[in-house]
Amino acid sequence: LHDALPIFFEESRETQVRLQNDLDTAREIQRQLLPTGAKEIPGLDLATAYVPARELGGDFYDLLPYGVGRLGIALGDVSGKGTAAALYGALAIGILREVVNERQDSPSEMLDILNTRLLAARLDARFIAMHFVVYDAALRELSISNAGGTLPLLIRKGEVSELNITGVPLGLLPEAEYEEITIALLPGDVIVLASDGIHESMNKELEEYGADRLKALLAEVVPLDPGYTIAQRIVKATDEHAGIGLPPHDDRTLLILRVIEDPISDFSKLPIIY
């Protein structure tokens, strides 16, 4: 037995190293699945932030060319965390890109299709909260549907308001129906889409960061603040709220859409996703 101990510990160490290498590879694959941004979107400054709680995250987002002068935007939050949630998120991204390649439906129709496809996958005890948004540059309009995600926020002239659009998470109910709202955007408007990990960032006293703190922070946004700065400000605020030494409660993901003046827009261009 004494002679076998070094062999046992060596095998255990090799197994741990192999598992860590697998996790590192999976994390890199997941990172490459997510676009880092988009450019040449007439009238829009778009920024993203993605902070997984573990090596692999259950949150995901996607940016999708959606026809002439239009951009499709998805933000998803898979139930649970870790490897299983990350794989389910990858499945959802694959389905989403396949559907968008064939058709560019309204946000509510897109959520209905995704719900049907995810139910067909028959993965018990898994569901996805998702925002799906279509930005139309020529009309300067944003159409939004929501399947169980947090309420989108609109910053307009220093006022922060919730956009009251709700729905059932994807993969739960076959008869679920999704609503849709369309907003006429103004230069200076900012739309914030956040996964619930932002609102639920928790400190040692088990107090969540919450919607009220987020709205108070956003009320300080000024028209010249770039989308990237707004996103980083929110991440920093939730970091500071949680404090040092407490493991993250959940993945945190943000999409910031800031409307800018763009008088010389070529709406025939497709957004360049990178």
Side-chain angles (χ1 to χ4, degrees), residues 21-271:
N21 287 339
D22 287 348
L23 272 177
D24 291 342
T25 302
R27 182 173 58 223
E28 178 61 19
I29 291 169
Q30 184 180 51
R31 188 190 68 78
Q32 293 196 28
L33 273 175
L34 304 179
T36 54
K39 59 185 178 181
E40 294 193 23
I41 314 169
L44 195 65
D45 163 29
L46 186 147
T48 66
Y50 175 70
V51 186
R54 299 182 183 176
E55 288 91 344
L56 295 173
D59 283 5
F60 63 91
Y61 64 89
D62 212 352
L63 309 172
L64 304 146
Y66 218 70
V68 176
R70 298 201 305 163
L71 178 71
I73 301 166
L75 188 156
D77 181 357
V78 179
S79 59
K81 293 182 282 293
T83 305
L87 287 171
Y88 197 36
L91 171 66
I93 289 175
I95 293 172
L96 178 64
R97 292 179 181 177
E98 175 196 336
V99 174
V100 169
N101 187 54
E102 296 172 353
R103 54 204 294 178
Q104 288 85 45
D105 290 317
S106 69
S108 58
E109 291 170 327
M110 184 60 67
L111 289 183
D112 185 60
I113 293 169
L114 289 170
N115 186 52
T116 300
R117 291 286 298 271
L118 289 170
L119 282 166
R122 299 183 183 278
L123 294 172
D124 293 338
R126 290 287 169 187
F127 58 86
I128 300 177
M130 181 184 282
H131 303 91
F132 194 82
V133 175
V134 175
Y135 169 70
D136 191 313
L139 298 177
R140 196 180 267 165
E141 286 183 348
L142 198 70
S143 298
I144 305 173
S145 285
N146 186 4
T150 61
L151 293 180
L153 298 174
L154 167 66
I155 310 169
R156 176 173 286 175
K157 297 180 180 178
E159 297 287 331
V160 183
S161 58
E162 293 176 332
L163 302 177
N164 190 22
I165 180 75
T166 60
V168 178
L170 304 175
L172 279 180
L173 299 175
E175 68 274 13
E177 295 183 358
Y178 297 98
E179 300 176 352
E180 183 176 322
I181 59 172
T182 299
I183 304 169
L185 297 170
L186 302 173
D189 284 355
V190 177
I191 299 287
V192 177
L193 303 176
S195 66
D196 63 8
I198 294 292
H199 298 72
E200 295 174 3
S201 292
M202 198 174 292
N203 62 19
K204 290 181 180 178
E205 288 72 39
L206 302 182
E207 296 173 333
E208 294 184 348
Y209 183 70
D212 289 342
R213 286 187 178 91
L214 178 58
K215 287 190 278 189
L217 182 150
L218 294 175
E220 299 177 1
V221 168
V222 299
L224 293 180
D225 284 340
Y228 177 81
T229 299
I230 298 169
Q232 293 305 308
R233 212 175 278 167
I234 296 170
V235 171
K236 182 173 182 286
T238 54
D239 280 341
E240 291 174 349
H241 176 77
I244 298 172
L246 198 67
H249 175 72
D250 201 357
D251 306 322
R252 288 172 291 163
T253 306
L254 288 161
L255 290 170
I256 310 293
L257 289 68
R258 186 173 71 97
V259 184
I260 57 176
E261 287 281 9
D262 196 356
I264 312 175
S265 296
D266 182 358
F267 300 119
S268 66
K269 289 183 178 179
L270 286 176

